[in-house]
């Protein structure tokens, strides 16, 4: 395949990637955007395989078949509740690929065509290689830690120690010095020292992050994986990989910034890995407090006689796989003449868009789903706020209590509804480890049960 045809094909695939991102920006067009992205990736892969630089089709085709089979099996078996840790695991593979490609280029630069006229590795290639190694290693180890926290293999609580930020800063400065040194001296010991420290710093910037901040972590690691892929693209001199890496990196960074604003976090503290520790510390023990408990029949009676019901999905919905039952309940309420809409907090769940995906899977109409900024003022005029496991993002302490660890984080103002029906397994604190004052308000009725079971019982009562 000629260089001109290859360049044109890469241009087409890059345009499809951009259109895919545009499509994914709205639930109504996300399926079309996903298809465009798949087509763009297929074009890029076919063009790359047909490149004259490929000398071993057996390895390439074998890798595609093996990787595709593994991906297909995982996609079929993965539960929606495990999607965040799956995303984190896939990010780690991108980071590891960047490190391995850089190592291969370092030990066999002639195969990559990155030698200068005198037979030495070019300075530009050394810089690209260093950046790819550092970002890739940080992405790998950071994603592994995020995976273990989300999977429950280790505690989701922040891990801190005295002088942690100074240690991170010192390691960062040493990595920078090694990158500069590597550009001058191609000693393998410098290469591997730089790589090892990058793995360590990736580990250190994620361990102090608490569970409540994991959606931002997943988004930020997504950005890191994009920049790692772009680094691979420079090493491989593959324009499509550079473009798609830059798209993923920049869009992930923008999404992280939006989510930081939604959680009242500093964007730069996310990049430096220094956030989450304070927010994930549980508040003081307030002892046993009286709450109002209700049944499915109570909830059905209240909602059937309501004029407007706002449904607020949270991680508990994903755990119980109750999205289809919830949509059925909403349909029954609409048949009874009730105005039903859905309110989603930007960081509800364990990854960006988690709740949107759940509701889309249950075929909830897109025009009934609203984000925090669009819906928050409507709670004051709603008869019922029906909350399913959305704990921390509905805690009024974030708005009213300056002493709360999550004070300042924008929340859904569900407590302003006339009645709050809160579905939860128990009265325990949420993922951030903070007791929710909403549970004990006079207008709140706790529906303590598995979300799917409770919603199905409400539907039967309706």
């Amino acid at each position: 395949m000629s260089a001109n045809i290859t360049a044109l094909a890469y241009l087409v695939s890059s345009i499809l990637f951009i259109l895919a991102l545009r499509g994914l920006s709205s639930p109504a067009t996300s399926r079309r955007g996903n298809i465009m992205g798949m087509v763009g990736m297929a074009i890029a892969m076919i063009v790359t395989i047909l490149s004259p630089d490929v000398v071993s089709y057996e390895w390439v085709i074998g890798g595609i078949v093996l990787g595709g089979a593994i991906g297909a099996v995982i996609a079929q078996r993965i539960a929606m509740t495990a999607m965040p840790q799956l995303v984190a695991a896939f990010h780690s593979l991108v980071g590891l690929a960047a490190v391995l490609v850089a190592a291969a280029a370092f030990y066999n630069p002639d195969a990559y065509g990155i030698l200068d006229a005198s037979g030495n590795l070019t300075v530009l290639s050394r810089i690209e290689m260093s950046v790819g190694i550092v970002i890739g290693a940080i992405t790998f180890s950071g994603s592994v830690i995020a995976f273990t926290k989300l999977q429950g293999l280790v505690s989701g609580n922040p891990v801190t120690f005295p002088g942690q930020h100074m240690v991170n800063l010192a390691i960062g400065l040493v990595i920078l010095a090694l990158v500069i040194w590597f550009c001058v001296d191609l000693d393998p010991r410098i290469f591997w020292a730089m790589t090892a420290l990058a793995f360590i710093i990736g580990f250190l910037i994620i361990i102090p992050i608490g569970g409540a901040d994991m959606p931002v972590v997943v988004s930020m690691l997504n950005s890191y994986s994009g920049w790692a892929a772009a680094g691979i693209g420079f090493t491989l001199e593959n324009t499509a990989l550079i473009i798609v890496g830059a798209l993923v990196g920049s869009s992930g960074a923008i999404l992280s910034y939006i989510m930081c604003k939604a959680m009242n976090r500093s964007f730069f503290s996310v990049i430096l890995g220094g956030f989450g520790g304070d927010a994930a510390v549980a508040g003081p023990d307030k002892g046993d407090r009286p709450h109002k408990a209700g049944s499915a029949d109570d909830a059905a009676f209240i909602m059937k006689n309501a004029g407007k019901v706002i449904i607020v999905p949270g991680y508990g919905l994903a755990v119980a796989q109750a999205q289809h039952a919830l949509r059925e309940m909403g349909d029954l309420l609409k048949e009874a003449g009730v105005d039903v809409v859905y309110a989603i907090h930007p960081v509800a769940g364990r990854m960006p868009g988690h709740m949107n995906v759940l509701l889309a899977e249950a075929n909830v109409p897109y025009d009934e789903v609203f984000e925090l900024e669009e819906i928050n003022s409507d709670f004051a005029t709603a008869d019922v706020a029906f909350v399913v496991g959305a704990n921390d993002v509905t805690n009024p302490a974030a708005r009213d209590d300056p002493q709360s660890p999550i004070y300042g984080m924008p929340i859904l103002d569900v407590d302003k509804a006339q009645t709050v029906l809160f579905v939860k397994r128990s009265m325990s604190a949420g993922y951030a480890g903070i007791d929710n004052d909403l549970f004990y308000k006079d207008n709140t009725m706790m529906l303590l049960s598995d979300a799917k079971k409770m919603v199905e019982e409400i539907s039967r009562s309706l």
Side-chain angles (χ1 to χ4, degrees), residues 2 32 156 237 328 379:
S2 69
R32 184 177 64 203
E237 296 184 345
E328 181 184 352
F379 283 104

Coordinates of all heavy atoms in Angstrom, one line a residue, residues 2 32 156 237 328 379:
S2 N 0.6 2.2 -0.9 CA 1.4 3.4 -1.0 C 1.3 4.3 0.2 O 0.3 4.2 0.9 CB 1.1 4.2 -2.3 OG -0.2 4.7 -2.2
R32 N -24.5 5.8 17.6 CA -23.9 6.1 16.3 C -22.4 6.5 16.5 O -21.6 6.1 15.7 CB -24.7 7.3 15.7 CG -24.2 7.7 14.3 CD -25.1 8.8 13.8 NE -24.9 10.0 14.5 CZ -25.9 11.0 14.6 NH1 -27.0 10.8 13.9 NH2 -25.7 12.0 15.3
G156 N -10.7 0.6 50.0 CA -10.9 1.8 49.2 C -10.5 3.1 49.9 O -10.5 4.2 49.4
E237 N 6.0 6.2 14.6 CA 5.7 7.2 13.5 C 4.4 6.8 12.8 O 4.3 6.8 11.6 CB 6.9 7.1 12.5 CG 8.2 7.5 13.1 CD 9.3 7.6 12.0 OE1 9.1 6.9 10.9 OE2 10.4 8.2 12.3
E328 N -39.6 0.1 34.5 CA -41.0 -0.5 34.6 C -41.8 0.3 35.6 O -43.0 0.7 35.3 CB -40.9 -1.9 34.9 CG -42.3 -2.6 35.0 CD -42.3 -4.0 35.4 OE1 -41.2 -4.6 35.5 OE2 -43.4 -4.6 35.6
F379 N -36.3 20.1 42.3 CA -36.7 19.3 43.5 C -37.6 20.1 44.4 O -38.5 19.5 45.1 CB -35.4 19.0 44.2 CG -34.6 17.8 43.6 CD1 -33.5 18.1 42.9 CD2 -35.1 16.5 43.7 CE1 -32.8 17.0 42.3 CE2 -34.4 15.5 43.1 CZ -33.2 15.7 42.4

